[in-house]
Amino acid sequence: MRILQVVTDNDRRGAQVFATQLQDALRARSHTVETVALVEGAVGGLGLEVLGRRFPSRATIRALRSHMTGFDITVAHGSSTLPACAIAGSRRRPFVYRQISDSAFWAPTWVKRTRTRVALNRACVVVALSEYNRGLLIRPIGVRPDRIVVVPNGVPAGEFVPADAAVRANARAPLGLPDAPTALFVGALVPEKGADLAIRAAAGVPDAHLVVAGAGAELDRLERLAADVAPGRVHFVGTTADAARLYHAADLVVLPSRGGDAMPAVLLEAGLCGLPVVSTRIGAIPEVVVTGTTGIVVAPDDQTALDHAVGRLLGDPTLRSTMGAAARTRCLERYEIGSVAEQWETVLERAVALA
């Protein structure tokens, strides 16, 4: 098949990175795959071809329509790619939409739900990351059940492996981290991701350090919070192409999402690296992080429960090791990009047949 993938921008974020990884996996299965971005983005880092200077714009839509014409099927990866492909697509330019977030969170009003449903109905197939997220597309959005297929998120296992003591020491040195319990937060620095909760949780563990990886509008506020509650113990490192190095420097990952997430790739990457996760009961997170087995899941915005979970794991190396090993086994079985790409191949063949 000739497959075009469309992402929102060139920024190194979950949906964009997944698209590049899926591109490589589908190419390995002998498909022709090209991935483009609607606009450049704020941070960049992926080096994809950019279709326009801004979106929405007629010029960007024209460029997308032209690209779609040369392929059997287009895959739209979340956010503004849905309206873009809904407008640019046609019977001769079919597309599949990958829903990457919590539909109810991002479409809370009747108007937004209606707009989303109309756009989704233009897609041949809608891909949800879990049965939970499939249910949200059916209700409250209103997508017909027979139009939705579940394919989980995935990451390449070869890029994410557990670290031994030497690798951990080498990973910590450039970050200025001492030999101390260390948690890692990876995500956009926006309110719904809960980095502030992670900072407060780490602050409550004596001598613990927290690495915060990501960019966003909350950076200044979070830096001030860290200086106030945990001076010298929170390390802001921005975005990086070498995510594995960050996992190798950490003892656990904390993602206190407040909403909007479906199946964050950071949880899969952490699991493959043999790290337990402390996260919240949002979207499909409880399907990835099995509380008590591969990590601990708490209620959103429950700072007390989050503090207890982070403190418990940072203080118990044996428990971290046991949970981390179970997390790696689970992620290898369910979320490795090779098997996920095989599922995508089936979905795209179906979409081409429907078109």
Side-chain angles (χ1 to χ4, degrees):
M1 281 180 289
R2 296 167 300 162
I3 304 162
L4 175 68
Q5 296 193 114
V6 184
V7 298
T8 301
D9 53 43
N10 247 324
D11 291 347
R12 187 172 288 277
R13 295 185 294 159
Q16 291 87 323
V17 171
F18 173 80
T20 63
Q21 293 169 343
L22 181 61
Q23 170 184 274
D24 293 342
L26 288 172
R27 284 176 175 174
R29 300 180 70 84
S30 301
H31 299 289
T32 299
V33 189
E34 179 181 338
T35 305
V36 297
L38 293 177
V39 296
E40 181 55 45
V43 180
L46 290 181
L48 302 175
E49 178 183 353
V50 175
L51 299 182
R53 297 180 61 183
R54 62 184 179 86
F55 181 82
S57 75
R58 291 182 179 179
T60 304
I61 291 296
R62 283 197 299 268
L64 176 59
R65 184 178 292 125
S66 176
H67 271 70
M68 291 174 73
T69 301
F71 292 85
D72 299 317
I73 194 71
T74 295
V75 181
H77 290 269
S79 189
S80 52
T81 66
L82 174 57
C85 287
I87 295 169
S90 68
R91 191 171 185 83
R92 293 184 297 109
R93 295 184 293 274
F95 76 98
V96 170
Y97 180 68
R98 180 177 182 257
Q99 177 68 351
I100 63 171
S101 59
D102 184 329
S103 307
F105 183 88
W106 295 111
T109 66
W110 179 85
V111 172
K112 288 185 177 181
R113 289 195 295 271
T114 300
R115 187 182 302 143
T116 301
R117 181 173 64 252
V118 169
L120 288 172
N121 283 337
R122 298 293 303 275
C124 294
V125 177
V126 178
V127 173
L129 300 186
S130 71
E131 287 295 339
Y132 173 87
N133 296 106
R134 180 177 183 271
L136 292 179
L137 287 168
I138 296 169
R139 181 182 293 186
I141 301 301
V143 181
R144 279 180 16 214
D146 61 345
R147 296 175 63 85
I148 308 170
V149 176
V150 174
V151 180
N153 206 346
V155 297
E159 295 182 17
F160 299 97
V161 297
D164 59 23
V167 170
R168 178 167 287 104
N170 288 335
R172 289 185 173 188
L175 301 174
L177 290 169
D179 184 16
T182 301
L184 170 66
F185 169 91
V186 180
L189 303 185
V190 293
E192 61 267 19
K193 292 294 185 179
D196 57 317
L197 301 171
I199 291 171
R200 293 186 184 277
V205 182
D207 301 322
H209 286 246
L210 174 70
V211 176
V212 177
E218 290 272 283
L219 176 59
D220 290 344
R221 186 181 75 84
L222 293 170
E223 287 180 330
R224 290 194 298 269
L225 173 64
D228 182 43
V229 302
R233 295 196 286 127
V234 181
H235 309 260
F236 293 87
V237 299
T239 59
T240 177
D242 188 9
R245 176 177 60 88
L246 299 178
Y247 296 112
H248 290 165
D251 295 305
L252 66 85
V253 166
V254 55
L255 182 67
S257 175
R258 290 185 169 102
D261 283 310
M263 186 180 285
V266 58
L267 306 182
L268 314 182
E269 294 168 353
L272 288 172
C273 288
L275 295 180
V277 171
V278 178
S279 193
T280 48
R281 203 169 294 112
I282 293 293
I285 289 174
E287 295 182 24
V288 178
V289 183
V290 181
T291 194
T293 301
T294 69
I296 301 174
V297 177
V298 302
D301 255 327
D302 188 338
Q303 185 74 68
T304 300
L306 185 73
D307 294 353
H308 181 267
V310 170
R312 179 187 174 195
L313 284 178
L314 285 181
D316 192 335
T318 301
L319 181 59
R320 291 200 308 268
S321 178
T322 301
M323 285 186 168
R328 178 167 171 79
T329 297
R330 184 174 180 83
C331 288
L332 283 172
E333 290 174 349
R334 295 169 177 256
Y335 307 118
E336 205 286 316
I337 192 66
S339 62
V340 171
E342 184 176 358
Q343 296 174 61
W344 266 99
E345 186 176 52
T346 300
V347 169
L348 297 177
E349 288 172 347
R350 170 187 169 183
V352 170
L354 288 172

